[in-house]
Structures are given as C-alpha cells and as structure tokens.
Amino acid sequence: IWTLALTQLGGALISLALRFPQEWRTVNQHPWVLGIPYVISVLLGLWGMIVLRFAPDPWAYIDIWGIGYRFAALGALVFLATMLYRARASAEAEVRRQARIVLFFSLLAFTPVVIWLTAPLFDLSMAFNAPLLLLPMLLFPLGIGLAILRYRLWAVDQLVNRTLVYATLTALLAGLYTASIGLSQRLFVAITGEKSDAAIVMTTLIVASAFTPAKTWLQAFVDRQFKEERQGHQALRALTQRVQAFTEMTDARRLAERL
C-alpha cells in the first residue's frame, strides 16, 4: 500500500498543477496531457509491486522507494512553482488570490517532507519523523477547500439547486407511489372483491405521468429562490464586459494590442 501510494503522489500533484486553479492552455487544447503524470505514477507503482513480489534481493524495494520519493518531491516542487507563478503572473485577479491561498498552505504542508525527500541528494541523512513530516500535509486539502469555498470554484448554487429539486422530487414520488398502491388496491377490492396486480400497474403509470409536471414545478420553485443571486452575478459579469470594452476603446495601447 505504501509503495502504490508513494508512486501516485508525484503524478497527482503534477496533474493538479496543470489544472488548478486554472487550466493551462495546453490542457484546454489537449486534455490527454493530464494523464501523462499518472501514466508515470502507474508504471512506477507496477514496477514497485513486481520488485516486492519477484526480486530475489530482499532489499531491492529500497531503490524503487527512492525513485518514488524523488518523483513525489518533483511533483511537490512543480506544484509549488506553478502556484507561485499563478500568484504573481496570472492575468486574472481572482486566480492570483486563489493561487496565493493554495501556495501558503502548500508551503506549510510540503516544506518538511520535501526537505526530507531531497536530503539524500545532498548526502544528508534525516530520520523519518511521521508526526513532523506527515501531519502538516493535512493543511494541503484544507487550503484547497478554502480556495474553493472562498472563490466559488465549484458551482455551489447549482449543486444546491439540483439537490433540493431531486431530493424533494424523490420524497414526493415515493410518498405518491406508496399512497397510490394502497388506494388502488382498496378500490379494486371494493369493486371486484379481489386483489389485483393491476393496482401496481396503475400506480406506476400515475407516478410516471406525474414525474415531469412535478419536476417542472419544483425546478421553477427552486429557481425562484436562487433567481436574485444568479441575476446579480449575471449583471456583474455584464458590467465587467462593458467596462473592459470601454477601456479597450479609450486606451490606444490596449486597442493596438487587441488589433
């Protein structure tokens, strides 16, 4: 488990650096690029498992672990360098703020373990102290989560919208189905004196016919609750576009650059 986890770490960090908090242009044009770091990680992991299982030398795993350590350190350094670049040179202010948050937490999380992983390259020996090296890494997902929540990298309003619609719809249809079965069976017994499977068939048809109208009504109701916030965002985006267009038309240098 340690061998597999260790070899996946570097590829995961490099792939994350290519798309967070903003995808690189190359990734937009060629999404398969994101898979290259993972291919390297998977190959290293398979190599490690083969060494553990079939190598005659009981200490052969040390070499593959050393390569995994260095690949993990490379992934951490690439990620930190990418966040530093995004924090300083990104054209969008929001991306710069996101990158600064992630960079701060990433430095706290990865600096101890990167020092330990790269120490052998400088002929230094450091003891493995799990609390000192691994506990700070919990700050990394915390920083990612904070950047996502703070700057709306996820469409949270849309997620809540769909959750409300389909959770409520499921509950309503489940109740309708249960009530309809009982009512239909009682009607059949009252009319014919016998139970019939036709009650279940009728109930299914009723629920199926009620699905689309119920969904449409619920969607409209939930949309009304989110309408003001969504329209506000649209208005701000429209204003931003108008201001940018005006600025480009009145600034000779920017107008020349755009031409």
Side-chain angles (χ1 to χ4, degrees):
I1 293 175
W2 174 261
T3 300
L4 290 176
L6 174 66
T7 52
Q8 303 312 302
L9 180 57
L13 286 172
I14 294 174
S15 184
L16 184 61
L18 293 174
R19 67 179 312 176
F20 186 86
Q22 185 182 55
E23 287 188 342
W24 291 86
R25 184 176 303 174
T26 302
V27 173
N28 286 327
Q29 297 172 350
H30 308 287
W32 55 266
V33 172
L34 290 172
I36 294 177
Y38 282 112
V39 170
I40 299 174
S41 289
V42 170
L43 292 176
L44 287 176
L46 292 176
W47 181 19
M49 298 307 295
I50 292 173
V51 168
L52 287 173
R53 180 66 181 84
F54 299 106
D57 182 4
W59 301 102
Y61 71 91
I62 293 178
D63 291 335
I64 185 61
W65 278 17
I67 296 174
Y69 290 150
R70 287 160 180 77
F71 189 51
L74 174 64
L77 292 174
V78 168
F79 185 83
L80 292 174
T82 303
M83 291 302 104
L84 179 61
Y85 173 79
R86 290 292 193 191
R88 295 178 60 86
S90 179
E92 300 182 22
E94 184 170 307
V95 173
R96 292 197 299 271
R97 290 193 291 268
Q98 294 162 0
R100 287 168 188 163
I101 291 176
V102 176
L103 177 63
F104 174 74
F105 282 89
S106 299
L107 284 172
L108 295 178
F110 290 126
T111 297
V113 73
V114 167
I115 293 175
W116 181 77
L117 291 173
T118 56
L121 299 177
F122 303 98
D123 295 327
L124 299 175
S125 179
M126 297 179 60
F128 182 82
N129 187 318
L132 177 63
L133 298 177
L134 300 183
L135 284 180
M137 295 182 72
L138 295 174
L139 295 173
F140 177 66
L142 178 63
I144 296 287
L146 181 61
I148 289 174
L149 293 175
R150 178 65 180 82
Y151 293 105
R152 303 177 64 84
L153 293 181
W154 283 343
V156 177
D157 51 351
Q158 184 178 3
L159 178 64
V160 173
N161 184 312
R162 295 296 180 265
T163 301
L164 288 174
V165 169
Y166 287 103
T168 306
L169 184 63
T170 301
L172 286 176
L173 291 181
L176 177 62
Y177 183 76
T178 303
S180 298
I181 286 181
L183 180 60
S184 300
Q185 289 179 343
R186 290 182 180 180
L187 286 175
F188 269 89
V189 170
I191 296 174
T192 65
E194 297 181 357
K195 292 185 177 180
S196 173
D197 292 336
I200 298 178
V201 175
M202 290 185 60
T203 301
T204 303
L205 291 175
I206 292 172
V207 172
S209 62
F211 179 84
T212 300
K215 178 182 178 297
T216 301
W217 180 83
L218 278 172
Q219 187 69 67
F221 174 78
V222 175
D223 283 343
R224 285 196 297 270
Q225 313 310 312
F226 287 87
K227 184 176 182 180
E228 181 178 354
E229 182 180 6
R230 185 169 62 253
Q231 287 184 342
H233 290 160
Q234 292 174 350
L236 286 174
R237 282 194 290 269
L239 176 62
T240 300
Q241 293 173 356
R242 289 197 296 269
V243 171
Q244 289 176 344
F246 176 79
T247 304
E248 290 176 354
M249 293 301 295
T250 56
D251 187 329
R253 180 183 62 81
R254 295 188 63 178
L255 184 60
E257 288 176 352
R258 181 169 183 177
L259 179 61

